[in-house]
Amino acid sequence: MNKQQKIKHWQGIFEQQKSSGLAIIQFCRDNNINASTFYVWRKRLSDETIRVKKQQVIPFVIHEQAFTHPSIIKLITPNGYQIDFESTLANQTLAKLLSVL
C-alpha cells in the first residue's frame, strides 16, 4: 500500500469512527484496530493537513456572468472534498461558502 492509499484508508477509518458514535477505544476494540496506531495516524494526518493549509494559497475570483442555461459547478479541494452547486447561485452566497473553506 503506497502513502496515498494509507492516507485514504485511515481517513476512511476516522470517518467510520465518527459516524459510529462510539468512543475511539470502543471503536478500535470492535474493529480490531490497535488504539495506539489509530492515534498515531490521526496525529500524522492532522499534522499533514496543517502543513498543507499553511503552504497552499489558491486565488479564487468571482466574475459576474449571465448563464443562459443553469449548470452544475464542481469544486474539488486538494484534500478530496467536493462541493457541487448550481451556476445560478448568488455571488454573495458563493463568496460566503468559499470563505469558510
Side-chain angles (χ1 to χ4, degrees):
M1 198 182 300
N2 67 31
K3 183 178 177 181
Q4 278 303 103
Q5 290 171 325
K6 287 180 184 179
I7 289 171
K8 287 191 183 287
H9 170 77
W10 280 102
Q11 286 172 335
I13 289 174
F14 300 140
E15 288 175 19
Q16 290 174 16
Q17 185 274 323
K18 278 185 183 179
S19 65
S20 74
L22 296 172
I24 291 172
I25 298 297
Q26 188 61 50
F27 175 82
C28 289
R29 279 187 199 135
D30 292 353
N31 291 281
N32 297 319
I33 297 170
N34 182 303
S36 296
T37 305
F38 183 97
Y39 286 113
V40 166
W41 271 99
R42 188 173 76 167
K43 178 163 178 22
R44 184 179 294 166
L45 292 181
S46 69
D47 289 348
E48 191 168 305
T49 301
I50 290 168
R51 267 197 313 273
V52 168
K53 285 183 181 178
K54 287 181 181 176
Q55 292 175 353
Q56 291 185 342
V57 176
I58 302 170
F60 192 85
V61 180
I62 301 171
H63 296 282
E64 295 287 333
Q65 180 178 355
F67 289 94
T68 56
H69 300 289
S71 59
I72 298 295
I73 298 173
K74 181 180 292 193
L75 275 174
I76 302 174
T77 68
N79 295 6
Y81 294 103
Q82 179 176 313
I83 303 168
D84 296 338
F85 51 90
E86 290 188 17
S87 60
T88 56
L89 185 68
N91 289 340
Q92 295 84 1
T93 307
L94 177 58
K96 285 180 185 177
L97 172 68
L98 294 173
S99 72
V100 298
L101 293 179

